[in-house]
């Protein structure tokens, strides 16, 4: 009887064969991550069952030790590659790239759909979705020397030929074979009793599974529950899996599952951060009369989306607008929450029409109530388009830059003040000219300060950048506002952003004196009639006779209501822009409320008429009383 012992001589090592067979693929993936070490396995000669009954040659101890060392090095490299992933797709891709072709010829990764987050209870039914599949892709050069029978023995799963190499969805039945394997957590060979039933349930009944130890089903268990499964497949041209390969599969599955758990939690936190930032900052800027606005916000990094920087634009009575920009110390959720509280406080104080220095004083008190270490810088400015003036108060914030129409950029000299939260500090406001066509730029220190330059160097660079941009558009035209904001942000070089950035730009158009009519009316019975005549005369001068009747009626109703409660002269102002705005002010703090008059009531219908005829109307409480206003469309609107 002739013996046919299994021999290792004359066979090429698996690492060399895998490298030679997959050279095109490794060239494509070289930029993604370093190639992991291959796992040598005992070379397979003729099938011992067909070779005869003679005993096989014993394993070489040095070869076994070398093979186990390579296996450990592979596990270390593979787990590092998986751990480098931050989001879900990167982690799953890391598992696939680490496994194919070094450990397996193909891999299928199934994940729970939907994935539970943290400690939340998963939804029923238990559904697995095919998240990613990958296989060894052979080029024509790799397969040209293979016989037809060897080509047929390549791994059965081929994503290039079939975009869905296995069932995309699988419902895990309670008490079924797949549920039992997943509950057991440990990887199993594809030819085990449990896997022979579980794999068709997972992959689909019409999918063939390689026979023998050529498939491993590995459950993916996170911190608290099974979140998926991975299937490793080997073709017949390479040795089947060994017992120790179950330990390798277990390591890969464990690191992948824990990484997925963290990625899902990180994704939820990132979503919360995005939502928090979105709600903290204005969705859109208002469009007040006489000024155009543009804004930008950039987080410090993609992984730190929430910061304490904010900006705001708040319409005020008299067609004025408050411009606010601030920076809370820190980049955490706490900083963002404090920023939200300060922004809400600033909006409330602005609604009371307090002077800028008073707004900062109350913000300082609010910051001290929030905690002893709650500090922020803030700049609060109020622009009056009728007077063409701007009033600014500063609390430790970088000074604004004013770009004039001719191209000159000026760093405004405003008192620096102390940051909000210091306490016991008086804030000072300055009033400056705001000529038509000029652009005011408010920003946070992340725009001008970094590890590469100090804040004053950055401010000077910003001033020079604005002046250079203005020169490109010529002395008679202001640069487009949105393009100006983008150009300002372009001054930041790569790696030059250490802090988040808030940017608010205001283009002053102003309201010409010829478009403003202003009167004082004594609080007496003849005031409504005089107001009607004055309003009609102004509208006739502006060529708005077609709306004179409606405006005259509404002016009469609002002035009548003001005279009823006022003790000092009532003010009447008409502003003509793209709309007609009428403002009536008095010294009574009570705001009017619309109500439905009864049939026998003689009054109570004035605001009802205003609400029906005006495009918009409102009332704002001032420190000296209130202003009731309404807006009417002009010709063609």
């Amino acid at each position: 009887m002739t013996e046919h012992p299994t021999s290792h001589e004359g066979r090429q090592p698996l690492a060399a064969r895998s490298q030679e067979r997959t050279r095109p693929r490794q060239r494509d993936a070289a930029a993604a991550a370093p190639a992991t070490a291959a796992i040598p396995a005992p070379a397979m000669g003729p099938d011992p069952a067909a070779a005869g009954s003679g005993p096989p040659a014993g394993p070489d101890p040095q070869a076994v030790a070398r093979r186990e060392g390579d296996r450990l090095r592979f596990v270390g490299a593979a787990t590092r590659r998986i751990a480098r992933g931050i989001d879900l797709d990167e982690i799953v891709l890391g598992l696939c790239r680490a496994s194919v072709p070094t450990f397996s010829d193909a891999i299928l990764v199934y994940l729970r759909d939907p994935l539970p987050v943290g400690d939340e209870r998963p939804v029923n039914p238990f559904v697995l979705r095919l998240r990613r599949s990958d296989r060894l892709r052979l080029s024509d050069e790799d397969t040209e020397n293979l016989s037809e029978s060897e080509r047929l023995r390549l791994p059965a799963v081929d994503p290039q030929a079939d975009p869905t190499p296995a069932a995309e969805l699988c419902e895990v039945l309670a008490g079924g074979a797949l549920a039992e394997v997943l509950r057991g957590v440990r990887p199993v060979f594809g030819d085990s009793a449990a896997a022979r039933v579980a794999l068709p349930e997972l992959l689909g009944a019409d999918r063939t599974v390689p026979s023998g130890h050529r498939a491993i089903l590995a459950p993916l268990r996170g911190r608290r529950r099974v979140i998926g499964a991975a299937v490793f497949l080997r073709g017949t041209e390479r040795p089947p899996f060994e017992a120790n390969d179950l330990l390798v599969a277990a390591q890969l599955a464990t690191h992948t599952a824990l990484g997925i758990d963290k990625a899902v939690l990180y994704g939820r936190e990132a979503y919360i951060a995005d939502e928090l930032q979105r709600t903290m900052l204005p969705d859109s800027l208002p469009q007040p009369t006489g000024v155009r606005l543009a804004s930008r916000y950039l987080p410090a990094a993609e992984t730190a989306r929430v910061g304490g920087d904010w900006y705001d634009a708040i319409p005020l009575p008299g067609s004025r607008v408050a411009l606010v920009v601030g920076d809370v110390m820190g980049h955490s959720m706490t900083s963002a929450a404090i920023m939200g509280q300060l922004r809400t406080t600033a909006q409330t104080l602005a609604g009371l029409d307090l002077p800028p220095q008073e707004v900062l004083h109350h913000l300082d008190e609010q910051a001290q109530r929030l905690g002893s270490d709650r500090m922020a810088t803030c700049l609060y400015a109020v622009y009056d388009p009728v007077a063409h003036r701007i009033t600014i108060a500063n609390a430790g914030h970088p000074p604004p830059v004013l770009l004039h129409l001719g191209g000159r950029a000026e760093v405004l000299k405003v008192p620096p003040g102390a940051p909000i939260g210091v306490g016991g500090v008086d804030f000072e406001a300055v009033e400056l000219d705001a000529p038509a066509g000029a652009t005011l730029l408010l920003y946070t220190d992340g725009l001008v300060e970094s590890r590469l330059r100090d804040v004053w160097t950055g401010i000077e660079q910003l001033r020079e950048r604005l002046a250079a941009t203005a020169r490109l558009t010529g002395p008679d035209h202001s640069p487009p506002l949105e393009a100006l904001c983008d150009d300002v942000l372009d001054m930041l070089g790569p790696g030059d952003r250490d802090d988040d950035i808030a940017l608010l730009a205001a283009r002053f158009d102003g309201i010409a004196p010829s478009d403003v009519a202003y009167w004082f009316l004594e609080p007496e019975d003849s005031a409504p009639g005089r107001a009607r005549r004055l309003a009609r005369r102004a509208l006739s001068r502006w060529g708005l006779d077609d709306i004179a009747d409606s405006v005259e009626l509404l002016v009469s109703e609002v002035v009548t209501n003001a005279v009823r409660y006022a003790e000092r002269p009532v003010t009447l102002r008409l502003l003509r822009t793209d709309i007609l705005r009428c403002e009536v002010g008095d010294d009574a703090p009570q705001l009017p409320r619309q109500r439905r008059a009864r049939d026998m009531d003689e009054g109570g219908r004035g605001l009802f008429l205003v609400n029906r005829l005006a495009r918009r109307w409102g009332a704002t409480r001032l420190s000296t009383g209130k202003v009731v206003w309404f807006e009417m469309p002009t010709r063609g609107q």
Side-chain angles (χ1 to χ4, degrees):
M1 184 180 220
T2 303
E3 294 184 356
H4 299 278
T6 303
S7 173
H8 294 268
E9 297 178 0
R11 295 299 302 270
Q12 193 177 17
L14 175 59
R17 289 188 288 115
S18 176
Q19 180 179 3
E20 180 181 354
R21 190 155 42 93
T22 62
R23 190 176 300 108
R25 174 196 176 93
Q26 291 179 346
R27 283 198 299 267
D28 294 338
T36 56
I39 307 177
M44 298 298 292
D47 191 346
S53 59
D60 182 359
Q62 292 183 351
V64 172
R66 185 166 54 252
R67 188 166 63 251
E68 293 304 319
D70 289 342
R71 182 178 281 111
L72 290 176
R73 282 190 291 273
F74 162 74
V75 171
T79 53
R80 285 193 299 272
R81 179 177 237 174
I82 295 170
R84 281 199 299 266
I86 295 178
D87 60 23
L88 182 61
D89 292 332
E90 288 180 349
I91 293 172
V92 175
L93 179 62
L95 171 63
C96 295
R97 292 292 185 260
S99 303
V100 179
T102 308
F103 181 66
S104 63
D105 292 329
I107 184 173
L108 302 172
V109 182
Y110 283 83
L111 294 181
R112 197 162 190 157
D113 186 30
L115 276 169
V117 180
D119 296 332
E120 70 180 19
R121 297 176 63 87
V123 298
N124 288 321
F126 186 173
V127 176
L128 294 177
R129 179 182 292 275
L130 181 62
R131 184 76 185 196
R132 186 177 182 88
S133 62
D134 201 1
R135 69 146 290 153
L136 176 63
R137 292 169 175 82
L138 302 179
S139 65
D140 294 338
E141 179 184 351
D142 297 321
T143 59
E144 62 181 0
N145 296 324
L146 296 179
S147 64
E148 186 64 25
S149 60
E150 288 174 327
R151 293 173 189 264
L152 295 176
R153 290 203 305 269
L154 291 176
V157 179
D158 187 356
Q160 286 184 328
D162 185 356
T164 56
E168 185 174 351
L169 287 177
C170 168
E171 181 176 348
V172 181
L173 303 176
L178 180 58
E180 291 298 323
V181 173
L182 296 179
R183 188 179 298 113
V185 178
R186 298 178 182 276
V188 294
F189 286 122
D191 60 349
S192 64
R196 279 198 301 267
V197 182
L199 280 174
E201 182 181 344
L202 177 65
L203 305 181
D206 58 339
R207 302 291 172 174
T208 59
V209 180
S211 60
H213 285 18
R214 300 193 178 277
I216 293 179
L217 174 57
L220 301 178
R221 179 175 176 82
R223 293 185 305 116
R224 298 192 178 274
R225 60 184 63 87
V226 173
I227 60 174
V231 181
F232 303 92
L233 301 172
R234 279 187 182 177
T236 56
E237 80 283 358
R238 68 187 295 179
F241 292 111
E242 299 179 347
N244 286 343
D245 289 330
L246 291 178
L247 300 178
V248 174
Q251 286 290 320
L252 298 179
T254 298
H255 283 273
T256 301
L258 294 177
I260 289 173
D261 254 358
K262 294 178 182 179
V264 172
L265 285 173
Y266 170 77
R268 174 62 62 86
E269 290 180 357
Y271 170 78
I272 294 173
D274 287 341
E275 287 297 302
L276 178 62
Q277 191 70 64
R278 186 185 62 80
T279 55
M280 292 298 182
L281 297 176
D283 290 333
S284 60
L285 293 173
Q287 297 178 352
T289 302
V291 61
R292 286 172 285 166
L293 302 172
S295 63
R296 295 291 186 274
Y297 175 82
L298 290 179
E302 187 66 19
T303 55
R305 297 181 173 115
V306 173
D309 291 17
W310 90 92
Y311 62 88
D312 214 341
I314 309 166
L316 299 178
S319 298
R320 296 171 300 149
V321 59
L323 308 173
V324 192
V325 66
D327 184 1
V328 178
M329 181 177 60
H331 304 92
S332 62
M333 291 281 191
T334 302
S335 301
I338 296 172
M339 176 265 285
Q341 296 183 64
L342 293 180
R343 179 176 176 240
T344 302
T345 303
Q347 289 178 328
T348 303
L349 296 171
L352 299 176
D353 200 28
L354 297 178
Q357 65 271 23
E358 288 297 321
V359 172
L360 295 184
H361 173 73
H362 289 293
L363 285 177
D364 180 60
E365 292 181 337
Q366 175 67 8
Q368 293 179 69
R369 284 191 290 268
L370 295 176
S372 58
D373 58 344
R374 310 307 189 195
M375 298 183 64
T377 63
C378 182
L379 192 142
Y380 188 95
V382 175
Y383 170 63
D384 188 341
V386 177
H388 295 270
R389 304 281 287 177
I390 186 167
T391 306
I392 305 175
N394 191 9
H397 204 78
V401 179
L402 184 65
L403 178 62
H404 293 268
L405 182 60
R408 182 172 64 92
E410 174 189 8
V411 179
L412 297 183
K413 296 180 180 179
V414 297
I420 290 172
V422 173
V425 179
D426 290 333
F427 299 99
E428 183 180 352
V430 294
E431 187 174 350
L432 305 170
D433 286 330
T439 304
L440 184 70
L441 198 71
L442 309 180
Y443 53 91
T444 55
D445 58 357
L447 180 65
V448 295
E449 185 179 22
S450 71
R451 289 170 292 179
L452 305 178
R453 62 177 184 269
D454 61 78
V455 61
W456 289 108
T457 301
I459 292 175
E460 180 61 22
Q461 291 178 357
L462 173 62
R463 188 192 67 79
E464 293 175 353
R465 186 61 174 259
L466 289 173
T469 303
R471 285 194 294 269
L472 296 176
T473 58
D476 299 329
H477 298 85
S478 300
L481 204 56
E482 295 290 342
L484 180 65
C485 291
D486 293 335
D487 192 62
V488 166
L489 295 180
D490 286 342
M491 65 180 282
L492 299 171
D496 196 21
R497 197 167 82 234
D498 305 322
D499 196 0
D500 45 341
I501 298 172
L503 179 65
L504 179 63
R507 173 71 44 77
F508 300 144
D509 293 332
I511 300 177
S514 58
D515 293 327
V516 181
Y518 192 86
W519 304 278
F520 287 95
L521 304 173
E522 293 297 329
E524 53 191 22
D525 295 342
S526 60
R530 182 165 179 255
R532 289 194 298 270
R533 293 191 298 272
L534 293 173
R536 178 173 287 276
R537 192 178 307 159
L539 294 177
S540 177
R541 186 172 67 251
W542 290 336
L544 299 177
D545 297 287
D546 52 336
I547 62 171
D549 292 339
S550 299
V551 172
E552 186 177 343
L553 173 62
L554 299 188
V555 165
S556 177
E557 293 294 339
V558 177
V559 171
T560 299
N561 190 69
V563 168
R564 183 177 303 171
Y565 303 102
E567 297 180 359
R568 297 178 181 178
V570 174
T571 61
L572 170 63
R573 184 165 74 168
L574 298 181
L575 302 173
R576 182 189 65 164
T577 55
D578 53 340
I579 60 172
L580 179 72
R581 182 181 175 97
C582 174
E583 299 172 349
V584 177
D586 61 68
D587 60 345
Q590 295 84 5
L591 297 181
R593 293 287 183 266
Q594 182 181 350
R595 64 183 180 89
R596 182 175 295 277
R598 292 173 296 185
D599 294 339
M600 302 302 295
D601 290 345
E602 296 183 0
R605 295 178 177 84
L607 290 182
F608 177 78
L609 292 174
V610 173
N611 186 63
R612 292 298 298 270
L613 297 180
R615 190 176 74 168
R616 288 197 314 154
W617 77 278
T620 305
R621 183 178 284 111
L622 306 178
S623 57
T624 57
K626 69 174 180 294
V627 168
V628 180
W629 56 269
F630 63 85
E631 295 176 350
M632 296 288 290
T634 56
R635 184 185 298 110
Q637 292 185 330

